[in-house]
Structure formats: structure tokens, C-alpha cells
Amino acid sequence: MADEAALSTGALARVAPVFDRAPFIRLMGYRLVDAGDGWVETELEVAERHRQQHGYVHAGVVTAMADHTSGAAATTVIPEGRSILTAHLATHLLRPAAGGTLRCRAEVVKPGRTLIVTRADVFCDEAHVALFDGTMVSVEGDIA
């Protein structure tokens, strides 16, 4: 069986460009924390710009984090030379995100040659704030 640290390092190297080359993701401040075969973890230190009019983290910030993290997780299970786009997403907001740090863990539920089903959980501090379901599509080439 492969060493878990080696798997994590390889997966991190594979998905790091998904974060580095996405201007919106850099602007928002999402940070890649860890990755393995079929999963990715990210984090965001919440700033004033991430909040909506009531002071909670905006639903769009939570959804974008879950979507991008899920796409990165899908990237870990596709062959080299292919890229991921989101085909469908649903975000279930469980409670307002009122803390200072968002954490997201996305996992591949069902890998496929073309369609990949993902799930992500988003936490704000220790509170589970969102559940995300995504369908990712694997496309030919690097679409950066």
C-alpha cells in the first residue's frame, strides 16, 4: 500500500495549479490545505469583504468554496491532460456562517470517465454550515 504522505504530496502537487491559476479564488483568499486521492481540504480566513449585510459570511462565498474544493477533489481522480468544469451544483445552507474561519472538505462520491459526483462539507469555526452536492464534468485538455 502506498504511503499516505506520498499520496497527499502527489495530490497536492496535482491540485495546486487549480488554485494558483484561478484569479477569483486568489482574490477571495481560499487556501489549499491538504489533498489526497479523491479528496481536498481548503480554508478561508473570513474578512469583512466576505460578509453580507447581516454580518454573516455570504452564501456565495460558502458555495464558491465548496464548488472549487469539489472541482479540485475531482481533479485528483482524472487522467493527466483533462480538466474539470462544474455541470451541476446544489448548496444546502444549514445555518449562518458567523465565525472567523471557513474550512471545507470535498470528496469524490462517484468517479466516472466523464461525470464525477462530489460532496463537500463546509464548517465555520466548529459549526457545520453547508452541505454541497456537485456533478463535475471531465473535459479534454487544460482549459486554464
Side-chain angles (χ1 to χ4, degrees):
M1 179 175 222
D3 180 283
E4 189 171 319
L7 280 175
S8 183
T9 302
L12 279 169
R14 178 101 194 262
V15 299
V18 172
F19 288 81
D20 296 340
R21 295 185 302 177
F24 176 73
I25 298 308
R26 288 193 319 268
L27 175 70
M28 294 304 292
Y30 303 119
R31 186 174 67 83
L32 176 61
V33 173
D34 202 2
D37 188 24
W39 62 271
V40 170
E41 293 179 354
T42 58
E43 191 171 84
L44 174 70
E45 292 301 320
V46 176
E48 188 64 26
R49 71 177 181 270
H50 300 121
R51 298 187 186 279
Q52 44 85 296
Q53 69 277 13
H54 300 291
Y56 301 119
V57 178
H58 195 284
V61 172
V62 172
T63 299
M65 182 181 208
D67 177 42
H68 201 75
T69 306
S70 291
T75 298
T76 70
V77 301
I78 60 172
E80 293 288 337
R82 297 192 68 82
S83 297
I84 292 293
L85 295 172
T86 303
H88 180 264
L89 60 86
T91 304
H92 307 277
L93 301 169
L94 306 175
R95 64 182 44 85
T101 303
L102 287 183
R103 289 180 301 105
C104 180
R105 180 177 171 101
E107 298 181 359
V108 171
V109 174
K110 172 72 171 76
R113 280 195 316 250
T114 304
L115 296 178
I116 300 165
V117 177
T118 63
R119 173 194 162 131
D121 293 288
V122 181
F123 295 84
C124 190
D125 296 336
E126 298 306 314
H128 192 194
V129 298
L131 173 62
F132 174 94
D133 296 308
T135 303
M136 307 295 155
V137 61
S138 174
V139 296
E140 187 66 37
D142 182 8
I143 54 173

